[in-house]
Amino acid sequence: MAEAPRMPDETGVPEIEPYLHPVLKKNYGNWKWHDRPRPGVLHHVAHSGDEVWTVRAGTQRQMDVYTIRKLMDIADDFAEGYVRFTIRSNIEFMVSEESKVQPLIDKLLEEGFPVGGTGNSISMISHTQGWLHCDIPATDASGAVKALMDELHEEFVREEMPNRVRLTISCCQINCGGQGDIAINIQHTKPPKINHDMVGNVCERPSVVARCPVAAIRPAVVNGKPTLEVDERKCICCGACFPPCPPMQINDPEHSKFAIWVGG
Ligand code: SF4
Ligand code: SF4
């Protein structure tokens, strides 16, 4: 008899309940109060009288399998086997006894993971990863994140800022990563220079024309060859035409810059 066909697995966000620390599961929605006994630690008390301490550590976000295994070993050995990730790629460990907090922090610091980010601090920087999956990036955002967080990570650890500050870095001015108070992006400041000799051989001109969000590109003929031209009064220097047509040369060592947008 033929085997029954394999049914597709449902995808999407899984139910969180099976992954919750037992104290969080038991007291879900029934918390009475919480405080922050020290930077990087939150202490929650439930109406039932149960208590849980959450220790937050920063990660480098794009982690290799060895780092993930190291964090999971820390969770098993020092934190009752439960973790969760925050929206800004911090990792949080939950423990149900106060006596477990300091050994957990000591282990995290020993392994190079900064503890902080729960109070008035500079957050771990959320960033895009267009270098891995997108065709527009002007640069690799994660390199800029590393350089900046090397400078700022004391503000994550000490939590002595006047208020919380959320930083983001994006690899182009479309700013996919921009849910923050201060966004840092790569911004081109000049329209593309077109290498007309190459356009006819390399580019599918209608798709390049369609790619421009402000209809600044149109077909043209230069020196008898089919090519493209850009209306520089319309061009917003977004760089979207470069991926389908590399002769639209917009990356420039002088005119492609980091821009800092303040104000969310
Ligand atoms: S910020 Fe730009 S380059 Fe980076 S992922 Fe978003 S659209 Fe792509
Ligand atoms: S840089 Fe952006 S706005 Fe300018 S021509 Fe290319 S796609 Fe259009």
Side-chain angles (χ1 to χ4, degrees), residues 39-51:
V41 179
L42 296 171
H43 167 224
H44 284 79
V45 179
H47 287 285
S48 66
D50 289 346
E51 296 177 76

Side-chain angles (χ1 to χ4, degrees), residues 18 22 60 113-114 124 127 143 146-147 168 192 198 205 208 232 240 264:
Q60 62 269 54
F113 298 102
M124 294 299 286
H127 67 98
K146 163 78 175 126
T168 66
M198 288 175 64
R205 291 186 302 156
V208 187
E232 297 195 354

Side-chain angles (χ1 to χ4, degrees), residues 198-245:
M198 288 175 64
V199 170
N201 295 335
V202 178
C203 310
E204 199 175 312
R205 291 186 302 156
S207 55
V208 187
V209 170
R211 189 76 186 252
C212 180
V214 292
I217 305 174
R218 54 191 174 227
V221 174
V222 173
N223 298 330
K225 291 184 184 169
T227 183
L228 298 163
E229 65 182 4
V230 171
D231 182 342
E232 297 195 354
R233 291 165 306 173
K234 287 187 181 172
C235 175
I236 55 171
C237 309
C238 69
C241 51
F242 176 73
C245 185

